[in-house]
Amino acid sequence: MKLKKQIVIPVVVGLVAFVAGFFIGDASAISRVKKEIGSAISTNVKVDKEEAKKDEQAKQEPKKEEIKVLKVGEKYNYKDKYEITINKVILTDKRNQFTEKKANKVAVIEFTYKNLTLDEDLFISESNFKTYDEVGNVLESYPAGAEKMPQNIAQGKQCTAEMSYGFNEGSKLELDYYDNMFNDKADVKFMVEMQ
């Protein structure tokens, strides 16, 4: 029996050591796997948070749309509803003796607008424009030179009208057109030179 005890005890100790080693080694392996999974999840969460932050910033940043710039004779089509064209810009010698506005130069701007699809009448006048001289001064309308007045027009009709601006410097004008005169941003710019 002593022989059996001598054989059984080392076998049992060896077996216990083997089992203990297996679980201890396995526990550290499980710990490593948990760390790797945690790291991967943390990295994915960081990436997802960064992407969400970029998406949110992109939504908050105002989209900078380029304003189309046209020249004399080029048509601007507003959402397939109507068209507007600056036909010509000429200097006139006519002055209004009754106005207090002083101007070295007076430009008469002829424009045409056409109602393509609007059911209601279309009316476009100088109040739809902000006009600037060559150095960036905003101009006021000038009561001389314009002979063709804008009119309300039905669908399929067009109107040619004129507007006049007095200014002192340069030979080029910038006409910023606003479909809604109360908007902050122009729909189109016309860069024009005197003829």
Side-chain angles (χ1 to χ4, degrees):
M1 187 93 164
K2 255 184 172 187
L3 185 62
K4 278 187 171 181
K5 281 186 181 179
Q6 287 178 347
I7 295 175
V8 172
I9 290 177
V11 170
V12 171
V13 170
L15 190 59
V16 169
F18 176 75
V19 171
F22 177 77
F23 283 112
I24 291 171
D26 197 34
S28 66
I30 290 172
S31 175
R32 282 194 309 266
V33 169
K34 282 183 179 178
K35 284 181 184 177
E36 288 178 22
I37 290 172
S39 175
I41 289 172
S42 175
T43 302
N44 286 340
V45 168
K46 276 185 185 176
V47 169
D48 288 345
K49 284 182 180 178
E50 289 173 5
E51 288 177 6
K53 188 175 180 180
K54 287 178 186 177
D55 289 345
E56 187 63 30
Q57 287 173 344
K59 288 178 187 176
Q60 290 176 355
E61 290 177 6
K63 293 182 180 180
K64 296 179 181 177
E65 294 179 23
E66 292 293 320
I67 296 175
K68 191 172 190 175
V69 178
L70 300 176
K71 298 178 184 175
V72 171
E74 295 180 330
K75 288 182 183 178
Y76 172 66
N77 183 306
Y78 181 78
K79 299 180 181 179
D80 293 327
K81 295 179 180 182
Y82 62 85
E83 295 175 338
I84 185 167
T85 307
I86 303 297
N87 302 325
K88 63 183 176 180
V89 181
I90 59 169
L91 290 175
T92 183
D93 294 329
K94 294 181 183 179
R95 299 294 185 271
N96 187 322
Q97 64 187 9
F98 302 107
T99 186
E100 294 179 13
K101 297 178 183 179
K102 302 296 179 207
N104 292 337
K105 301 175 183 180
V106 175
V108 179
I109 302 164
E110 182 186 89
F111 64 100
T112 300
Y113 55 100
K114 182 175 183 178
N115 184 343
L116 301 174
T117 61
L118 293 171
D119 291 330
E120 65 272 4
D121 286 356
L122 175 64
F123 181 81
I124 296 176
S125 70
E126 64 190 30
S127 62
N128 292 94
F129 292 90
K130 285 186 185 170
T131 304
Y132 303 90
D133 66 14
E134 200 167 338
V135 294
N137 297 313
V138 67
L139 303 180
E140 292 183 19
S141 63
Y142 187 85
E147 297 174 2
K148 301 174 188 172
M149 296 295 127
Q151 304 292 322
N152 285 322
I153 57 168
Q155 186 177 15
K157 307 298 183 201
Q158 70 179 24
C159 177
T160 298
E162 294 175 330
M163 53 188 171
S164 299
Y165 292 93
F167 63 105
N168 295 314
E169 300 182 46
S171 62
K172 298 177 183 176
L173 297 178
E174 174 185 324
L175 289 86
D176 293 359
Y177 173 75
Y178 296 79
D179 172 65
N180 179 338
M181 66 185 88
F182 300 108
N183 285 350
D184 293 334
K185 184 177 172 187
D187 294 291
V188 68
K189 292 179 188 252
F190 292 94
M191 302 301 288
V192 300
E193 292 188 42
M194 308 300 147
Q195 295 175 345

